[in-house]
Amino acid sequence: MTAPAELTVAPGAPPEAYLEVRDLRIHFPTDDGLVRSVDGLSFQLDRGRTLGIVGESGSGKSVTSLGILGLHNRRNARVSGQIWLDGQELVGASPETVRRLRGKTMAMIFQDPLSALNPYYTVGDQIIEAYRIHHQVSKPAARRHAIDLLDRVGIPQPARRVDDYPHQFSGGMRQRAMIAMSLSCDPELLIADEPTTALDVTVQAQILDLMRDLQEEFNSALILITHDLGVVAELADDVLVMYGGRCVEQGAAETVFNAAQHPYTWGLLGSMPRLDRDVRTRLLPIQGTPPSLITPPPGCVFHPRCPYAERDGIPCRTEVPELVPAESGHQVACHLPPAQRREIFTAEIAPKL
Amino acid sequence: MAGPGPRPGRPSRPDIVVTYLGRRLIGAVLMLLVVSMVTFAIFFVVPLVAGGSSENLAARYVGRTAGSEEVADTAERLGFNDPLPVQYGRWLKGIVAGDEYDLGPSVERCPAPCFGYSFINRSPVWPELLDRLPVTLSLVVGAATIWLLAGVSIGVLSALRRGSVFDRAAMGVALGGVSLPIFFTGLLSLVIFSYGLGWTAPGSSFTPLLENPAQWAYNLILPWVTLAFLFAAIYARLTRAGMLETMSEDYIRTARAKGLPERRVVMKHGLRGALTPIVTIFGLDVSLLMGGAVLTESTFSLPGLGKYAIDAITTNDLPKVMGVTMLTAFFVVFANLIVDIVYGVVDPRVRLG
Ligand SMILES: Nc1ncnc2c1ncn2[C@@H]1O[C@H](COP(=O)(O)OP(=O)(O)OP(=O)(O)O)[C@@H](O)[C@H]1O
Ligand code: SF4
Ligand SMILES: [Mg+2]
């Protein structure tokens, strides 16, 4: 990679987890300035586990996932840091090496299955292509495999539907086909970028059920990207909360939901729709607008929107809070003292949820 | 494919295709009838409306030297005094069954398909058209092959290396190609390559392909390249625009996420969408040129249909002009039919029916 040397962290200790992302930075030089879409992100994920990445629009979730798959154009993106997949480092690897892993070892499910499938080829052709690019098999064998997969993801009459074009499928079926395609080579890492956002609610639930079942069956590592905390609560073992290209809070799903420690996470929890409340009162969107990624606010990126900024003289506007271990095994980047965070959560936040 | 028969409630694909083709064919025939009426109207009715009499008309056919009595006589014998529908019917019948022209001293046969009879040459038009057709066909097929290959490949490369030196140079030349008239580029290339360097034939000769293929190509290479230059420029710009659009589609990202090599992503997934609109334009361009690449044929003195039409216009030989016009109309209607059918094959979203 052409990344400046000072941005690249020394290799350090060998990775322990199946997927280990270390200090990942993805910057885009543009006419307006350098867009720091991802700025120092680190996390780990093991096979059989699900990591939910949540955050508002523009927080860098998709850029991160495309970065892991090596899908950024090297001409307009600067990627640095390390991505260890099963002991192999990907940021410094050759494009050809990463290409061979793509679709085979790591696969992706995109948000909008209508635009993500090529309208000019049948669903079957596209699944067959995904399989044959990594396996030396005959077309009929690949076709049988495709029909199998379509069956597995719950497409009725798969032997016939395999010859349909994407526009002949309903939205939910297209997403099932997309999932079938991503599963065609039994990937060990599966990244789903808002897999249900484009679908209506009943279909959403079906797709999530399907993904849960398939993950158990394949024992893959799953990264589930969403801005819907409800989805995360259903599926994720761990949660990573992103804000302005950084991680602000990270930990086991249970702890993050039941003892959130970061003011931004509190805001997200407050804006989570709940069925037992009236539509108007249940949504408490976070005040303010997302931060600029070109000239982010100094100090804590969240400070312009944070109700607790500078409380009791903490240096929110000047010092960047580090992501540090908090109690119950999660990590938080906030200047508020832990005791105070716990107090605010129990006294002010939890009752409103 | 292995699909076990038609789905209940939906007609099977072959049935749809047959009805679609049938409908298109009927449409094409109707279109030809309409076009023939319009052509007939232009050549027979408009001069009358503009104040001409059937004698004026007849005068054009027999030549200006004839006396007025003779002209009136001719008008009567050729049926110019009959009601218009009768004249149109006779003209149409001539195409199907042939016609006879009573010229006084002799009665001339015009065998089917009678596309008119030139009184100046005392010969039916159709055999002359047939004579000229191979020239135009050779010119157009050769040029079309060159411009399609050159235009599309340059367009693809330009799009992939957008902003590069190659892109700028190619688009600069293309702009020139679009804006320079063919008689200019034609004469320029004649001066340079033919009279100057002596590499190519100076035109005005045509050798049938079957007689001597090498000579055929040698005589045509300069007109081919000149005509192709103009169109290649247009096609390069169209392809570039189309490729830039399709390469930013979500399904391209999906194709990359599958692990396809970039070459395959471009050639299979990118080009397909970009070529679809080009199919339409190509069909129409070729069919229009088939009616006579007037400027190219005049510049290089090629005895094709375009040259024939120009010569007929200068000698005021209306039946010939009308014959070429009808033939052009036929080519255009036919090309439309082909384009429609090809479109149904190329773009699966086009609903047949
Ligand atoms: N190629 C690029 N050039 C410049 N900026 C980019 C590029 N790609 C993404 N960005 C910017 O990076 C930021 C993060 O985008 P990203 O798509 O990751 O957000 P997201 O978290 O996935 O949001 P959403 O929930 O809307 O999908 C955005 O502000 C976007 O404008
Ligand atoms: S560091 Fe300060 S501004 Fe940032 S989240 Fe904590 S309290 Fe709010
Ligand atoms: Mg996104």
Side-chain angles (χ1 to χ4, degrees):
Chain A
M1 287 304 300
T2 53
E6 68 270 18
L7 284 182
T8 316
V9 171
E16 296 154 20
Y18 177 72
L19 171 71
E20 222 171 296
V21 172
R22 291 181 186 168
D23 196 33
L24 181 67
R25 286 165 206 268
I26 302 174
H27 297 175
F28 301 97
T30 66
D31 293 341
D32 300 326
L34 190 65
V35 179
R36 295 164 213 264
S37 295
V38 177
D39 212 22
L41 190 68
S42 303
F43 62 86
Q44 302 185 342
L45 180 62
D46 273 311
R47 290 193 66 176
R49 306 276 293 176
T50 300
L51 171 70
I53 301 185
V54 290
E56 289 171 317
S57 195
S59 54
K61 307 182 297 291
S62 298
V63 170
T64 303
S65 55
L66 295 176
I68 295 172
L69 261 78
L71 284 175
H72 287 296
N73 186 335
R74 290 185 178 215
R75 264 180 294 165
N76 64 21
R78 286 195 207 144
V79 185
S80 67
Q82 296 167 7
I83 298 167
W84 292 89
L85 184 76
D86 204 9
Q88 189 178 8
E89 208 286 310
L90 302 184
V91 173
S94 76
E96 182 60 13
T97 311
V98 182
R99 176 184 76 73
R100 284 175 194 282
L101 294 171
R102 236 178 356 241
K104 187 168 187 228
T105 315
M106 49 185 183
M108 184 141 176
I109 301 167
F110 293 99
Q111 174 173 347
D112 180 1
L114 180 58
S115 59
L117 290 168
N118 190 327
Y120 297 108
Y121 297 99
T122 63
V123 169
D125 277 345
Q126 297 183 58
I127 299 176
I128 290 169
E129 182 181 40
Y131 187 53
R132 296 227 312 160
I133 195 75
H134 299 293
H135 295 91
Q136 302 282 329
V137 293
S138 69
K139 269 212 171 120
R143 188 183 153 83
R144 278 194 299 279
H145 182 67
I147 294 172
D148 254 16
L149 283 166
L150 287 176
D151 192 30
R152 198 112 121 243
V153 298
I155 302 272
Q157 298 183 300
R160 276 178 211 167
R161 301 299 255 164
V162 72
D163 292 321
D164 276 357
Y165 288 92
H167 73 271
Q168 293 168 293
F169 274 30
S170 69
M173 283 193 356
R174 271 182 224 131
Q175 193 57 294
R176 285 170 194 268
M178 185 81 216
I179 293 174
M181 194 165 89
S182 63
L183 293 178
S184 62
C185 298
D186 300 343
E188 294 164 1
L189 169 66
L190 191 58
I191 304 180
D193 191 350
E194 313 209 17
T196 59
T197 315
L199 308 174
D200 59 52
V201 183
T202 44
V203 184
Q204 278 187 9
Q206 293 168 8
I207 296 289
L208 290 177
D209 278 347
L210 172 69
M211 293 196 29
R212 184 174 22 220
D213 293 349
L214 291 171
Q215 194 214 3
E216 263 165 38
E217 192 183 331
F218 286 85
N219 191 36
S220 49
L222 175 64
I223 297 181
L224 185 64
I225 291 174
T226 172
H227 50 240
D228 183 350
L229 278 180
V231 171
V232 173
E234 282 224 4
L235 287 183
D237 301 304
D238 299 297
V239 178
L240 188 157
V241 181
M242 274 187 91
Y243 185 78
R246 294 168 207 213
C247 169
V248 294
E249 179 162 11
Q250 184 175 4
E254 220 161 294
T255 6
V256 173
F257 279 105
N258 297 327
Q261 303 248 329
H262 195 281
Y264 176 66
T265 317
W266 296 339
L268 282 183
L269 288 171
S271 63
M272 188 174 150
R274 282 185 38 173
L275 294 175
D276 54 347
R277 288 206 208 129
D278 178 58
V279 182
R280 261 159 299 145
T281 57
R282 77 181 188 222
L283 282 173
L284 300 165
I286 305 166
Q287 298 286 313
T289 52
S292 157
L293 298 173
I294 297 175
T295 46
C300 174
V301 210
F302 188 53
H303 87 247
R305 300 168 74 183
C306 180
Y308 309 99
E310 301 281 315
R311 178 183 272 210
D312 302 334
I314 50 174
C316 295
R317 296 206 192 107
T318 46
E319 267 174 49
V320 180
E322 293 296 317
L323 192 67
V324 290
E327 54 208 41
S328 49
H330 72 287
Q331 296 182 301
V332 182
C334 175
H335 289 308
L336 284 173
Q340 207 172 357
R341 294 199 295 245
R342 209 178 325 122
E343 207 183 291
I344 297 173
F345 183 75
T346 24
E348 298 176 29
I349 310 299
K352 287 198 228 146
L353 298 180
Chain B
M1 287 274 153
R7 235 163 276 153
R10 272 205 234 181
S12 69
R13 181 104 182 158
D15 283 354
I16 301 176
V17 171
V18 168
T19 33
Y20 174 78
L21 285 184
R23 249 191 250 182
R24 285 286 155 195
L25 265 174
I26 294 170
V29 170
L30 289 178
M31 192 70 195
L32 267 182
L33 274 178
V34 171
V35 166
S36 71
M37 284 181 204
V38 172
T39 315
F40 188 84
I42 289 171
F43 283 89
F44 284 79
V45 182
V46 173
L48 291 182
V49 171
S53 62
S54 49
E55 275 82 16
N56 290 149
L57 223 49
R60 291 200 167 184
Y61 283 83
V62 290
R64 297 207 180 279
T65 49
S68 64
E69 191 123 321
E70 192 188 337
V71 168
D73 194 37
T74 310
E76 183 57 34
R77 267 187 292 109
L78 292 180
F80 290 147
N81 297 326
D82 292 345
L84 275 175
V86 174
Q87 293 193 45
Y88 175 69
R90 187 163 52 230
W91 181 77
L92 213 55
K93 189 180 145 244
I95 293 180
V96 183
D99 205 350
E100 288 186 348
Y101 292 92
D102 183 359
L103 299 181
S106 64
V107 175
E108 295 295 326
R109 279 277 312 147
C110 174
C114 178
F115 271 80
Y117 182 89
S118 163
F119 299 97
I120 295 177
N121 285 18
R122 305 236 152 181
S123 64
V125 170
W126 180 247
E128 296 185 347
L129 293 179
L130 277 189
D131 223 35
R132 305 299 190 103
L133 190 58
V135 181
T136 303
L137 192 66
S138 304
L139 172 65
V140 173
V141 168
T145 311
I146 297 175
W147 90 57
L148 195 61
L149 292 178
V152 168
S153 18
I154 291 170
V156 169
L157 287 177
S158 268
L160 293 182
R161 305 190 188 156
R162 181 189 192 174
S164 68
V165 178
F166 175 85
D167 179 29
R168 279 161 215 240
M171 286 306 115
V173 173
L175 190 64
V178 175
S179 34
L180 293 177
I182 208 147
F183 47 81
F184 176 75
T185 49
L187 287 179
L188 194 68
S189 58
L190 269 179
V191 166
I192 297 175
F193 297 107
S194 193
Y195 305 129
L197 299 168
W199 290 353
T200 56
S204 70
S205 52
F206 174 78
T207 314
L209 169 67
L210 295 178
E211 204 171 281
N212 185 346
Q215 191 65 35
W216 171 78
Y218 176 75
N219 283 346
L220 281 169
I221 186 77
L222 212 50
W224 279 343
V225 172
T226 310
L227 184 56
F229 179 57
L230 168 70
F231 282 91
I234 299 170
Y235 280 63
R237 294 170 71 84
L238 280 173
T239 308
R240 180 178 182 273
M243 280 300 283
L244 285 178
E245 201 178 311
T246 51
M247 288 306 286
S248 64
E249 294 278 359
D250 282 357
Y251 61 75
I252 295 296
R253 195 180 55 192
T254 310
R256 292 197 178 115
K258 286 193 226 179
L260 299 187
E262 191 59 20
R263 217 187 137 74
R264 180 97 172 258
V265 173
V266 172
M267 299 311 279
K268 185 172 173 193
H269 292 269
L271 197 53
R272 179 69 183 263
L275 279 187
T276 313
I278 290 187
V279 169
T280 317
I281 299 160
F282 185 67
L284 293 180
D285 281 343
V286 167
S287 66
L288 275 175
L289 283 178
M290 277 309 298
V294 177
L295 288 178
T296 314
E297 288 176 11
S298 319
T299 306
F300 293 96
S301 321
L302 282 173
L305 288 170
K307 187 84 179 16
Y308 183 73
I310 289 287
D311 293 346
I313 288 169
T314 40
T315 54
N316 231 334
D317 200 345
L318 278 184
K320 286 185 182 172
V321 183
M322 188 157 153
V324 178
T325 311
M326 273 313 293
L327 197 61
T328 311
F330 175 78
F331 285 137
V332 171
V333 171
F334 184 68
N336 260 312
L337 180 68
I338 301 281
V339 164
D340 273 349
I341 293 169
V342 170
Y343 223 91
V345 177
V346 170
D347 192 341
R349 287 166 301 180
V350 173
R351 291 186 67 102
L352 305 179

